[in-house]
Amino acid sequence: MKIGFIGLGIMGKPMSKNLLKAGYELMVSDLHQENVKEVEAAGAKAATNREIAEICDVIITMLPNSPHVKSVMLGEEGMAAFMREGQIFVDMSSINPTASQEISAQLSKKGIKMLDAPVSGGEPKAIDGTLSIMVGGDKDVFEKMKEMLLCMGSSAVYCGAVGAGNTTKLANQIIVACNIQALAEAMTLAQKAGVEPQLVFEAIRGGLAGSTVMEAKAPMMIAGNDKPGFKIDLHIKDLNNALDCAHSVGAPVPMTAAVQEILQWLHNHEGGQKDHSAIAQYYEYLTDIKIGR
Ligand code: NAD
């Protein structure tokens, strides 16, 4: 099975390398040649998008957002023009579920099946090949692709028809953002009331409030470390998709709307490239403290 991989950024690079390690033949492309060179050195073949479309059995994209995936697949000179019946497209980017459905509908006119298969876990889990993968599309296509997906992740869960993978990812992003906000708010309250945030963390991490978010982000907040991780600007993109999707299906999401405004404030104050745990810096601004320092 020949695989094409387009989008070799923070996530795409280690994911494509894990496919190479598993023995797959890989053709790759990215706008940045240094990214392509790095994956070429690991055994992939550099190619144009058109070559990938014409040659590969399975095409994977790991691009920033809906417009990028739409343009690579359906734009002028997009890959769909050069693809044929029976090929499979797996979009692993986090995009709007509506966009996944639109792309799938266009591709199905040519007999091309699509899965939306976004991931959670960030760069460390992309490197380890232990991402959580959430998948939408036809169940039989999922079953065919599962072994390949599990070269990049430790789980691949079928969530429903195309778009269901990205709907699940939006749920994930809402939960993560609101958790970070709650953590920042609680740590700020504790410090203002005279209790050290580090002691609060140690006292409650094993209880009901403990979480993966707390384990990863409380130490960063307390140390004032905002090195990404997952950037504020990417989280804004995901929550815009969540708000858009929520409005279109009639699901009120007041918590998402509130945390999105905080992320937007951070973006406006040179925080767009910081880790999303920098939500704490908004609370520090409101209270004129430094959490844990
Ligand atoms: P990134 O910006 O590092 O990588 C995107 C890559 O796509 C870049 O290398 C860029 O050059 C390339 N690209 C853009 N347009 C292209 C085009 N037309 N043709 C070819 N290449 C093109 O982003 P990332 O962090 O790797 O994220 C990719 C996706 O994964 C996003 O949807 C993001 O939300 C999601 N995601 C990221 C993380 C994370 O921790 N970084 C975690 C989970 C999910």
Side-chain angles (χ1 to χ4, degrees):
M1 183 164 87
K2 277 205 176 85
I3 302 176
F5 202 113
I6 297 155
L8 306 169
I10 293 178
M11 299 297 284
K13 255 190 286 187
M15 288 163 70
S16 57
K17 286 182 189 171
N18 281 330
L19 289 172
L20 287 166
K21 267 190 222 151
Y24 288 105
E25 203 178 323
L26 216 62
M27 294 175 82
V28 295
S29 102
D30 190 280
L31 295 179
H32 293 104
Q33 281 318 299
E34 67 271 20
N35 293 355
V36 175
K37 287 217 169 77
E38 188 180 324
V39 184
E40 232 185 337
K45 187 171 183 304
T48 62
N49 286 3
R50 179 176 179 159
E51 286 167 337
I52 290 174
E54 287 173 345
I55 294 169
C56 292
D57 308 298
V58 174
I59 292 159
I60 299 175
T61 46
M62 192 55 174
L63 297 165
N65 198 7
S66 318
H68 307 84
V69 182
K70 275 191 177 172
S71 126
V72 164
M73 293 309 292
L74 307 175
E76 219 177 296
E77 292 292 294
M79 300 184 67
F82 309 106
M83 289 172 73
R84 59 188 184 281
E85 190 173 346
Q87 283 170 297
I88 295 174
F89 173 51
V90 183
D91 178 35
M92 302 192 75
S93 330
S94 304
I95 72 171
N96 196 319
T98 313
S100 304
Q101 288 157 357
E102 285 167 12
I103 297 164
S104 178
Q106 290 301 319
L107 295 179
S108 72
K109 288 183 191 162
K110 295 197 74 173
I112 299 157
K113 299 275 190 181
M114 169 174 169
L115 298 177
D116 60 314
V119 306
S120 173
E123 189 184 23
K125 290 192 176 224
I127 292 170
D128 294 348
T130 56
L131 292 165
S132 299
I133 307 175
M134 39 218 107
V135 189
D138 287 356
K139 186 90 193 280
D140 59 324
V141 181
F142 167 71
E143 294 299 343
K144 261 195 229 161
M145 293 293 104
K146 194 171 177 188
E147 189 183 333
M148 179 203 72
L149 291 173
L150 288 176
C151 298
M152 297 177 275
S154 53
S155 73
V157 175
Y158 180 72
C159 300
V162 75
N166 272 308
T167 301
T168 306
K169 174 71 184 180
L170 294 183
N172 181 80
Q173 294 305 81
I174 289 174
I175 294 166
V176 169
C178 293
N179 253 289
I180 295 175
Q181 185 190 346
L183 179 63
E185 196 163 297
M187 290 302 184
T188 308
L189 163 84
Q191 181 152 331
K192 286 290 280 182
V195 182
E196 266 184 50
Q198 177 64 30
L199 297 177
V200 174
F201 174 44
E202 284 169 24
I204 69 174
R205 64 197 290 193
L208 192 54
S211 67
T212 310
V213 161
M214 185 181 286
E215 290 300 317
K217 305 302 179 185
M220 290 182 77
M221 290 178 187
I222 290 165
N225 171 11
D226 58 21
K227 184 172 176 285
F230 190 75
K231 290 174 189 160
I232 297 264
D233 279 348
L234 275 181
H235 218 136
I236 289 175
K237 178 263 300 184
D238 287 335
L239 295 192
N240 272 335
N241 286 337
L243 291 165
D244 188 40
C245 175
H247 295 154
S248 71
V249 300
V253 284
M255 286 172 71
T256 307
V259 71
Q260 177 73 322
E261 292 305 309
I262 295 173
L263 291 169
Q264 189 60 45
W265 183 91
L266 283 152
H267 171 87
N268 293 350
H269 290 79
E270 296 178 353
Q273 298 302 304
K274 293 178 180 173
D275 188 70
H276 50 178
S277 60
I279 285 174
Q281 294 175 12
Y282 170 74
Y283 284 91
E284 292 177 341
Y285 167 79
L286 293 181
T287 50
D288 205 19
I289 60 161
K290 296 281 181 211
I291 292 172
R293 285 155 290 141

